[in-house]
Amino acid sequence: QARNIFRDSGQRFITCNIDVQHGSPEALAYERLGTELGFGARESRRAWREASRALEQRQKAEERAQKERARQPGMKVLVAGHSYILSDPYLGKPILDILEKAGAVSLRADALEPGTARKACAGFSPTCRWIVSEEIVGGVYLWKEKVDGIILVSAFPCGPDSMTNELLIRRIRGIPILTLVLDTQSGMAGIETRLESFLDIIRFQKGETV
């Protein structure tokens, strides 16, 4: 689409097409991207392998850190959503900050090795067909027994989330679940009120004084 819009500009576009079913697995896709950027095929493959190892190490470190957080005393709330939303300083981070300020221990469903999460999703919902959605659903499924509440965070235009969130709400019982759909008009004041009310519900169910 971008290439079509700027077709008369003379601008060069470089793409990275990962499509396993049509002969373009991840390693090959990044090798082609590297060669298009002017590097050799061997150098591009080495860069991809090093980046993959670094990503795997980071994911394992995040999972270890989260397991340590899960051992902390107090109310624990699992926040589930796409990583680019939860890590965004204007979208996901304020939600995590509000929870921490209110005294809750916030955990993230994406702080889990992706392959482990996808395997867990297969046992929970074998018909889920989006890889990132599988990772979110699998993360919720594996963490749900260790938390007091779950918050599903989505961006307004995300179609897959509207389906996976409904799946989680229908299939998970006995745990309070809050759905937050964010768009450009969302103000943090309203979101903060909803989060505080959600935490009050959890405290009430736990028999704590609200």
Side-chain angles (χ1 to χ4, degrees):
Q1 184 178 358
R3 182 178 292 173
N4 182 58
I5 292 174
F6 297 101
R7 59 185 177 276
D8 297 326
S9 68
Q11 179 65 53
R12 182 188 177 201
F13 287 85
I14 298 176
T15 61
C16 182
N17 180 37
I18 301 175
D19 189 344
V20 176
Q21 292 181 341
H22 294 86
S24 183
E26 182 179 338
L28 182 58
Y30 279 105
E31 177 186 321
R32 290 170 176 169
L33 176 63
T35 55
E36 285 195 64
L37 291 171
F39 299 95
R42 181 179 297 178
E43 188 177 5
S44 299
R45 287 194 298 271
R46 183 172 64 250
W48 173 79
R49 286 194 296 268
E50 291 177 358
S52 298
R53 282 195 295 268
L55 177 60
E56 183 179 359
Q57 290 171 0
R58 177 181 174 180
Q59 290 168 339
K60 290 180 178 179
E62 289 177 346
E63 186 173 350
R64 288 194 298 270
Q66 174 135 304
K67 288 179 179 178
E68 289 297 323
R69 285 178 56 77
R71 296 189 183 99
Q72 295 179 11
M75 180 196 309
K76 297 174 183 63
V77 178
L78 180 68
V79 184
H82 293 270
S83 298
Y84 63 83
I85 294 178
L86 300 187
S87 299
D88 190 285
Y90 299 102
L91 295 174
K93 192 174 185 305
I95 294 173
L96 300 174
D97 290 343
I98 291 170
L99 293 173
E100 294 290 333
K101 185 179 178 181
V105 178
S106 62
L107 305 175
R108 289 177 49 160
D110 62 339
L112 191 67
E113 196 279 319
T116 302
R118 289 195 293 270
K119 289 179 182 178
C121 178
F124 182 70
S125 174
T127 58
C128 187
R129 292 291 180 254
W130 302 285
I131 290 178
V132 177
S133 296
E134 289 178 351
E135 293 170 3
I136 295 172
V137 171
V140 173
Y141 182 67
L142 289 174
W143 281 103
K144 65 182 178 66
E145 302 297 337
K146 303 177 181 66
V147 298
D148 302 297
I150 300 171
I151 299 175
L152 307 176
V153 182
S154 302
F156 175 72
C158 187
D161 279 3
S162 64
M163 302 181 70
T164 54
N165 287 356
E166 187 67 20
L167 167 68
L168 291 167
I169 292 170
R170 289 172 179 265
R171 295 282 301 276
I172 295 178
R173 303 293 183 183
I175 305 175
I177 299 178
L178 172 66
T179 301
L180 289 179
V181 180
L182 307 177
D183 60 24
T184 56
Q185 305 302 318
S186 296
M188 288 311 300
I191 291 176
E192 185 170 2
T193 300
R194 293 187 64 189
L195 291 173
E196 290 173 350
S197 299
F198 182 64
L199 295 181
D200 285 342
I201 290 172
I202 295 175
R203 293 188 182 100
F204 179 79
Q205 286 198 350
K206 290 169 66 68
E208 300 177 4
T209 303
V210 178

